[in-house]
Each structure stands twice: as structure tokens, then as C-alpha cells.
Amino acid sequence: MTNPEFRVQVMPYVEESKKLESCGENCFYIFELIQAPGIDDRQYLLRFRWSKTEKKGVNQYTAKWGATDERMPEDRPDTVTLTRMMGSWKLRSVGDGDETRFTYQCHLDLGGNVPDFMANDSAVGNSIEFLINLGELCE
């Protein structure tokens, strides 16, 4: 799940996702382009960090990301650059390790002239689609 190509497969409307450079151990920058119907394209640069821990037989994988305006690779015409986006996911083994609890959060401001009600409605639908895509990929 730390592979940028994975994000194109599971994240709705993500048309391009590429790893740019490292920002430390278990940290890198990702440039992404979103092409969603009815709005101008969106681009953003994320600082993506992840970790793996094990305590008392419980494995946990965590990733956190946030938009940054550092090192934006290019400014594309007719594309809105998002500067307010953050999120995380957490995979945690439960029971005897034969199940996994998955927690996903994402907060963003689409910018431009997108009304809040549209952004909120699409966020719910996109989260559901993301989970469906993730489940299909895991099978």
C-alpha cells in the first residue's frame, strides 16, 4: 500500500501517482493528479510516511500523508493545486492474526468553486469505492 501505482488502482479518480524523492527513512513525496467528472483536474504533492510495529503479537502498519507545496514538479494549466489534504490508514491484526482491522481517514479541501455539499457527498462515495477496490485487489 506504499506503492504509488497501487493508489491509481484503488483510489477513485486518481489518474497519475508517482513517487518523486525520499524525505527520510520510510518517507517520500508523491505527486498525484485527480480527474473527476464535473470539475477541473486537481493536483497535489503529498508527504507520505509509514511505519510497522509489533507489540505482544499484534502487527500494525500505519501510513500518514499530508499535502505540501514543497517541490511541486510542474504547474499544469487548468489544474487546481490542492494545499489542504491529509489522511491516514492503519492495518492492525486482531484475534489470532487471521483478521485485520482497517481504519482509513482523509480530509481535503477541493479548492476552486466546488460547493461543500458536493465535496462531502463525493468523499463518502469515494471512500466506499476505495474500500470496494481494495477488497477486490486483495482477493
Side-chain angles (χ1 to χ4, degrees):
M1 290 178 64
T2 59
N3 184 336
E5 287 92 34
F6 166 83
R7 294 175 61 85
V8 173
Q9 293 177 308
V10 298
M11 300 298 293
Y13 307 119
V14 173
E15 290 296 317
E16 184 180 333
S17 180
K18 60 183 173 184
K19 181 178 175 180
L20 298 180
E21 63 186 68
S22 176
C23 49
E25 187 176 346
N26 297 338
C27 180
F28 55 83
Y29 292 100
I30 299 176
F31 170 80
E32 290 190 339
L33 176 68
I34 296 176
Q35 294 179 332
I39 64 172
D40 289 336
D41 292 350
R42 301 301 197 255
Q43 68 179 3
Y44 47 87
L45 181 66
L46 300 177
R47 177 181 286 182
F48 188 91
R49 293 171 288 172
W50 72 96
S51 64
K52 175 185 175 186
T53 58
E54 182 181 348
K55 293 181 184 175
K56 299 180 183 178
V58 175
N59 292 310
Q60 181 169 295
Y61 299 88
T62 305
K64 296 180 180 183
W65 60 87
T68 177
D69 57 3
E70 301 173 31
R71 301 176 182 86
M72 182 63 79
E74 60 186 87
D75 194 20
R76 298 176 184 206
D78 301 323
T79 302
V80 176
T81 299
L82 302 184
T83 57
R84 295 191 332 204
M85 177 184 203
M86 65 179 152
S88 66
W89 54 254
K90 184 188 311 184
L91 298 167
R92 183 182 175 115
S93 62
V94 293
D96 292 332
D98 57 348
E99 294 180 27
T100 302
R101 177 176 292 136
F102 178 70
T103 306
Y104 172 73
Q105 295 180 322
C106 186
H107 306 278
L108 71 134
D109 179 351
L110 288 174
N113 294 324
V114 179
D116 288 343
F117 78 89
M118 270 182 72
N120 292 335
D121 285 349
S122 76
V124 171
N126 289 349
S127 295
I128 292 168
E129 188 174 340
F130 164 72
L131 291 173
I132 291 168
N133 294 344
L134 179 61
E136 289 173 356
L137 192 64
C138 290
E139 291 177 3

